[in-house]
Amino acid sequence: MISYARQTSEQPLETAPSPAEEHIAPAPRVSVQTFCETVETAAAVQAAGEDRRLGKAHLKIQMGGMAAAIEAYRSAPTPNVIVLETDGRSDILAGLDQLATVCDAGTRVIVIGRINDVALYRELVRRGVSDYVIAPVTAIDVVRSICNLFSAPEAKAVGRIVAIVGAKGGAGASTIAHNVAWAIARDLTMDSVVADLDLAFGTAGLDYNQDPPQGIADAVFSPDRVDTAFIDRLLSKCTDHLSLLAAPATLERVYDFSAEAFDAIFDTLRTTMPCIVLDIPHQWSGWTKQALIGADDILIVAAPDLANLRNTKNIYDLLKAARPNDRPPLYCLNQVGVPKRPEINATEFAKAIESEPIAAIPFDPQMFGSAANNGQMIAEISANHRAVEMFLQIAQRLTGRSETKRPKGSFLSPLIEKLLKK
């Protein structure tokens, strides 16, 4: 009997967590062929093929179930993954035995059936089936099953990509991105990297007081060299848990890229870093759109005015429609409370977007200006500033972490810090 793949958990019948609560790593470039018996399953598979996590997979849908699969592979090589829909117990086991005679070694098989029985599942596992999914299935069921084939239980978790983008130029998205990344690394103790994607005018190097000789431009202009070792050489270490993939911030080159230009960099970072924060410039191109759609979580940063409201609404609606199996994008308000400036308040934003902002960061030009000019984060200048707690809350929402390891300070903490600095 041919071995299709590794076996999955002994508990196939448990209810899976909701898409908003789970992190499903994207599938690699594989070929997937499905043989459905019902139009409902075929529709679910078709919807799954449009999910961002199967963006690199080549998916083909055929009808006819197990019999059609056996006939098809008598004269054709099998793909990386076969998804089979079937009805009866005897048909499943007998059909798998027949399929084994025409199936190539290493092909992984997912079975969609209607019999909810652990004994049957164990028999399928004994025959080498990778996963058994109870019908009716949804698109996210199909996505989860295929993607999990390539995430070994013993492997290190695939990194989470967080994309932060401004609704309008000058909204302060880069400042928010850098401070949130700092909170993820320091307060949540997650190894993180900030990728500054504004190659011409990026400010991450200035904000972290770093001037590395190499950065993300070396990777994006040398795609054939991109691997773990190469990316590691380009990273600049900011703290024990935070690294930077800096932008050159020079104008010697024109930074026009294809939609897939950064894919290899992001895929490589996923394998080495638990959290990747993308500082995405305010521009609309194929690669910025793809970076946003491909991220695990998204934060839109908006100032409280009409242009920001319109742009936030447009970005939010597009990303929500393009990512039906992910939680909706998050957004926050920044630079709230500018003296004498008419503003659109959070309630009006929430009414238009149909979602509440996760934070409203106050306008404090002296504090934020000092931090920018000194190459420091707000937490380094004033640990008790109210924006610091907001950055932490945003970090928790974006990473799914509800608890922190940040020690509680006492009223003596500021005095102790001053003494230590001396």
Side-chain angles (χ1 to χ4, degrees):
M1 174 65 187
I2 190 168
S3 175
Y4 297 111
R6 61 174 177 81
Q7 72 179 57
T8 56
S9 166
E10 280 276 317
Q11 303 294 331
L13 311 179
E14 293 180 356
T15 302
S18 69
E21 297 172 344
E22 65 180 326
H23 173 50
I24 303 174
R29 297 186 188 278
V30 292
S31 57
V32 182
Q33 294 183 10
T34 64
F35 293 84
C36 305
E37 291 191 343
T38 64
V39 293
E40 291 79 10
T41 298
V45 175
Q46 179 68 38
E50 298 170 1
D51 188 278
R52 64 177 179 85
R53 285 156 289 209
L54 293 182
K56 294 181 180 179
H58 178 70
L59 184 64
K60 182 179 180 181
I61 304 172
Q62 302 173 71
M63 303 302 290
M66 185 80 72
I70 295 170
E71 185 61 30
Y73 298 130
R74 291 188 193 279
S75 57
T78 50
N80 302 109
V81 180
I82 301 173
V83 181
L84 300 169
E85 183 184 14
T86 186
D87 284 331
R89 176 193 291 265
S90 59
D91 290 342
I92 296 177
L93 301 180
L96 286 173
D97 290 341
Q98 282 188 274
L99 183 63
T101 64
V102 296
C103 195
D104 298 335
T107 296
R108 306 181 183 198
V109 174
I110 297 170
V111 175
I112 299 173
R114 285 175 165 71
I115 301 175
N116 193 339
D117 181 56
V118 172
L120 171 62
Y121 174 74
R122 289 174 177 166
E123 187 62 30
L124 294 175
V125 168
R126 192 180 68 81
R127 280 171 160 78
V129 168
S130 300
D131 196 11
Y132 179 61
V133 186
I134 302 297
V137 296
T138 63
I140 193 63
D141 293 329
V142 178
V143 171
R144 182 188 301 110
S145 185
I146 294 174
C147 290
N148 284 349
L149 295 180
F150 304 95
S151 300
E154 67 277 4
K156 187 177 180 180
V158 175
R160 190 184 198 99
I161 290 184
V162 172
I164 300 180
V165 65
K168 185 174 178 287
S174 291
T175 298
I176 303 302
H178 305 160
N179 279 275
V180 168
W182 181 274
I184 293 172
R186 187 192 67 166
D187 299 327
L188 305 184
T189 62
M190 292 179 66
D191 287 333
S192 307
V193 60
V194 174
D196 190 346
L197 303 186
D198 190 350
L199 273 68
F201 305 107
T203 59
L206 297 175
D207 285 353
Y208 291 122
N209 197 23
Q210 299 285 323
D211 187 21
Q214 295 178 300
I216 195 166
D218 298 89
V220 75
F221 285 114
S222 304
D224 296 338
R225 299 176 60 193
V226 173
D227 57 22
T228 302
F230 182 58
I231 293 295
D232 283 345
R233 290 196 298 271
L234 302 180
L235 293 176
S236 174
K237 197 169 185 63
C238 301
T239 69
D240 289 342
H241 294 287
L242 182 64
S243 298
L244 170 65
L245 197 54
T250 59
L251 303 180
E252 283 83 6
R253 291 177 172 178
V254 175
Y255 302 109
D256 293 332
F257 303 116
S258 66
E260 299 79 20
F262 290 88
D263 286 359
I265 299 172
F266 298 160
D267 290 345
T268 303
L269 287 172
R270 278 186 185 273
T271 65
T272 58
M273 282 288 179
C275 184
I276 302 100
V277 178
L278 305 182
D279 179 5
I280 297 182
H282 179 72
Q283 65 180 67
W284 197 242
S285 60
W287 69 266
T288 54
K289 180 181 178 181
Q290 182 149 318
L292 286 168
I293 292 176
D296 296 296
D297 283 286
I298 302 163
L299 176 69
I300 306 167
V301 179
D305 62 33
L306 184 60
N308 276 272
L309 174 57
R310 179 201 64 186
N311 294 353
T312 300
K313 175 68 172 172
N314 289 342
I315 297 171
Y316 183 93
D317 289 347
L318 182 143
L319 293 176
K320 186 176 179 180
R323 298 154 49 88
N325 302 313
D326 292 88
R327 72 173 175 178
L330 304 174
Y331 76 96
C332 73
L333 299 180
N334 190 33
Q335 303 170 357
V336 174
V338 174
K340 299 183 180 181
R341 181 182 70 175
E343 295 182 348
I344 299 175
N345 61 37
T347 302
E348 293 300 318
F349 254 84
K351 183 177 179 181
I353 307 299
E354 298 181 348
S355 176
E356 295 285 341
I358 63 171
I361 300 167
F363 177 69
D364 189 343
Q366 182 174 353
M367 181 62 66
F368 280 82
S370 296
N373 289 337
N374 294 338
Q376 291 179 297
M377 298 294 100
I378 301 300
E380 293 181 283
I381 293 181
S382 177
N384 296 321
H385 194 277
R386 54 181 174 166
V388 174
E389 186 62 31
M390 293 182 182
F391 294 142
L392 175 57
Q393 292 171 0
I394 294 172
Q396 290 171 327
R397 289 289 300 273
L398 289 172
T399 60
R401 298 286 188 93
S402 59
E403 297 180 359
T404 71
K405 298 181 180 179
R406 184 181 178 183
K408 292 184 178 179
S410 70
F411 69 95
L412 293 175
S413 296
L415 178 59
I416 294 173
E417 288 180 4
K418 288 182 180 179
L419 291 174
L420 289 176
K421 288 180 180 179
K422 292 180 180 180

